[in-house]
Amino acid sequence: MFGNKAARIQALTEEKEILFQSLEEGVLIVDEEMIITDVSRSTVHLLKVQKRELIGKRVSSCLQPDLKALLDKIEYLLETCQQTGIPMTDSILIEEKRKIYLELMAIPKNSSQGAILLFQDKSSHYKVVEMGKDFVANASHELKTPITIIKGFAETLQDIGDLPKEIYLDIIEKIVRNCQRMEKLVKNLLTLADLESLPFSRFEACDLKALLTSCKEMEEALHPQAHFRIECPHEDVFVLADVDLLELAIINLIENAVKYSKGPAQIDLIVESHEGEICLQIKDQGMGIPEEALEHIFDRFYTVNKAYARRLGGAGLGLSIVKNIIEKHQGRITAASVLGEGTTFSLNLPRQELED
Ligand code: ADP
């Protein structure tokens, strides 16, 4: 009978150990003297030490100096929760560079003396929150500038009733331009928000050549001096797409090609069909992008030259929208550029095979 019980206890202990070691949360257990009695595998991984270097020591005495702030906090939480008998929680950002953000919870043991510390790595959540904060700050800043300009000019009109006609028209033109800038920014922000919850039902087989032709016609009407050329030797080039969004991405790239070309723009839209994949290149002979900027151009609110982009009505959201759209289509986008010679954006999209 005792043999059975011993075996059950043994099995339970093993199960507990397996569970304990497979926990994603870091666990660290101390006795009433604040001596570590056990740690989970995640703890060892996070603190970057061997388990044997932890067991039997005080938290603060056994670890690297770069984790001192964390260790002090852990010790404080474990001690306080034992003294007060209630769980204690806190959070800490360690390793400023890699941004490891931990949430800590110290719980006093009821049955015996000592306490348990749980810690969760919330770095990815923290990064999302930080990105959100940056995004709101950038968006507010971009909106604030035109609002300030509009307010300033509107007040001038209000205060000085009798302005010469040309000054009056100049002020009105600036107000309208800044309203357009704000309108574009808000539209871009709404597009970015919509892209987060894109329903798959809007995807359909899309004839890429026909779509490019319609984009070309639209752009020719807007920019009569620019030259557009489509090179698509294949018929029946189809991709699975949300046609409105794919059109928006292509138009954004063409608009940039026109915007960043000095003089009449020359824009080539080249389609190549590969095994299972289509490559669309949008090529201009404009001012080009400096090499060091190429890796940032798809970041939200990034502009190579802020003042120049603003003058052209841009806030650095266009390419991040394009990238987002292309990725929603299971594709990828890259850019190659030679300063002073031009830029080529390449979109690779899965080819849609049509059934007969
Ligand atoms: P913006 O609305 O300011 O143009 P984008 O996100 O569309 O923002 O582009 C980011 C930056 O990349 C631009 O500020 C510009 O400096 C650069 N860029 C984009 N497309 C081109 C291009 N075809 N030629 C040269 N520079 C470009």
Side-chain angles (χ1 to χ4, degrees):
M1 194 180 116
F2 285 125
N4 249 352
K5 196 173 174 188
R8 263 187 36 231
I9 292 173
Q10 166 82 13
L12 276 173
T13 313
E14 269 175 32
E15 283 167 18
K16 195 190 111 213
E17 186 60 17
I18 292 170
L19 274 173
F20 181 61
Q21 292 305 341
S22 55
L23 278 176
E24 245 180 66
E25 284 87 6
V27 183
L28 182 144
I29 305 176
V30 291
D31 63 15
E32 69 273 23
E33 304 290 334
M34 293 292 292
I35 302 295
I36 301 172
T37 58
D38 208 350
V39 289
S40 68
R41 196 173 313 189
S42 323
T43 309
V44 170
H45 178 71
L46 188 91
L47 300 180
K48 294 187 261 170
V49 277
Q50 301 288 325
K51 184 171 176 174
R52 65 180 133 70
E53 289 175 47
L54 294 167
I55 303 295
K57 294 190 183 151
R58 277 190 78 96
V59 176
S60 54
S61 68
C62 47
L63 297 159
Q64 295 97 322
D66 60 326
L67 292 174
K68 181 157 183 344
L70 170 67
L71 302 170
D72 288 349
K73 197 160 264 199
I74 290 178
E75 189 134 318
Y76 171 77
L77 292 174
L78 286 168
E79 246 163 11
T80 318
C81 85
Q82 290 192 72
Q83 283 158 11
T84 58
I86 50 172
M88 302 288 297
T89 56
D90 207 342
S91 57
I92 187 166
L93 182 66
I94 54 169
E95 297 198 33
E96 191 62 42
K97 228 176 179 178
R98 280 199 299 150
K99 293 219 187 312
I100 297 184
Y101 182 80
L102 298 177
E103 280 185 3
L104 312 168
M105 181 184 232
I107 310 159
K109 283 206 259 172
N110 285 333
S111 51
S112 56
Q113 298 292 300
I116 301 173
L117 183 98
L118 299 174
F119 39 98
Q120 274 189 310
D121 186 348
K122 294 274 184 162
S123 308
S124 46
H125 174 74
Y126 175 80
K127 271 177 208 150
V128 170
V129 173
E130 285 295 295
M131 273 166 60
K133 280 192 208 157
D134 283 355
F135 184 75
V136 171
N138 278 323
S140 316
H141 179 75
E142 289 300 330
L143 282 170
K144 201 170 154 242
T145 313
I147 288 174
T148 310
I149 297 172
I150 292 167
K151 185 167 167 267
F153 283 122
E155 281 169 356
T156 309
L157 291 182
Q158 190 181 40
D159 295 343
I160 314 167
D162 213 10
L163 280 169
K165 184 143 190 229
E166 61 277 21
I167 298 183
Y168 172 81
L169 290 176
D170 188 45
I171 289 178
I172 294 291
E173 192 268 328
K174 286 192 174 101
I175 290 178
V176 170
R177 188 147 40 88
N178 279 282
C179 285
Q180 285 165 344
R181 186 172 142 197
M182 269 202 309
E183 190 184 19
K184 184 177 163 193
L185 183 66
V186 170
K187 213 169 126 199
N188 278 342
L189 291 172
L190 290 174
T191 307
L192 273 173
D194 279 353
L195 282 170
E196 296 304 316
S197 53
L198 182 63
F200 192 72
S201 56
R202 289 204 329 223
F203 283 70
E204 55 185 301
C206 160
D207 180 341
L208 191 60
K209 197 170 181 176
L211 179 63
L212 289 177
T213 308
S214 117
C215 291
K216 175 176 174 272
E217 283 166 6
M218 257 190 281
E219 289 294 309
E220 275 169 342
L222 283 171
H223 309 286
Q225 291 97 332
H227 303 285
F228 298 91
R229 190 178 68 91
I230 295 178
E231 186 182 313
C232 179
H234 329 272
E235 292 303 324
D236 299 336
V237 190
F238 282 86
V239 288
L240 190 62
D242 179 318
V243 182
D244 292 343
L245 283 179
L246 191 56
E247 180 182 273
L248 177 67
I250 295 168
I251 293 284
N252 264 340
L253 291 170
I254 298 178
E255 281 290 318
N256 273 353
V258 174
K259 225 162 57 170
Y260 297 105
S261 291
K262 284 190 176 135
Q266 169 66 53
I267 293 147
D268 294 316
L269 310 171
I270 303 163
V271 180
E272 279 174 21
S273 180
H274 303 288
E275 182 74 27
E277 192 175 67
I278 281 162
C279 176
L280 164 63
Q281 291 189 325
I282 293 163
K283 204 172 179 162
D284 66 55
Q285 296 171 15
M287 59 178 60
I289 301 171
E291 202 184 330
E292 64 281 7
L294 271 178
E295 61 176 307
H296 302 294
I297 54 171
F298 297 106
D299 296 347
R300 288 176 182 182
F301 296 106
Y302 179 83
T303 50
V304 175
N305 178 333
K306 198 135 231 103
Y308 188 73
R310 278 215 180 124
R311 225 176 313 135
L312 299 175
L317 280 179
L319 286 181
S320 65
I321 290 177
V322 173
K323 182 165 190 264
N324 208 318
I325 292 176
I326 298 306
E327 286 174 354
K328 288 278 180 303
H329 286 78
Q330 315 304 324
R332 52 187 200 285
I333 178 166
T334 51
S337 189
V338 178
L339 209 54
E341 289 186 20
T343 304
T344 302
F345 284 92
S346 302
L347 315 186
N348 289 75
L349 291 161
R351 188 187 168 126
Q352 169 85 351
E353 303 299 343
L354 290 187
E355 286 161 23
D356 296 323

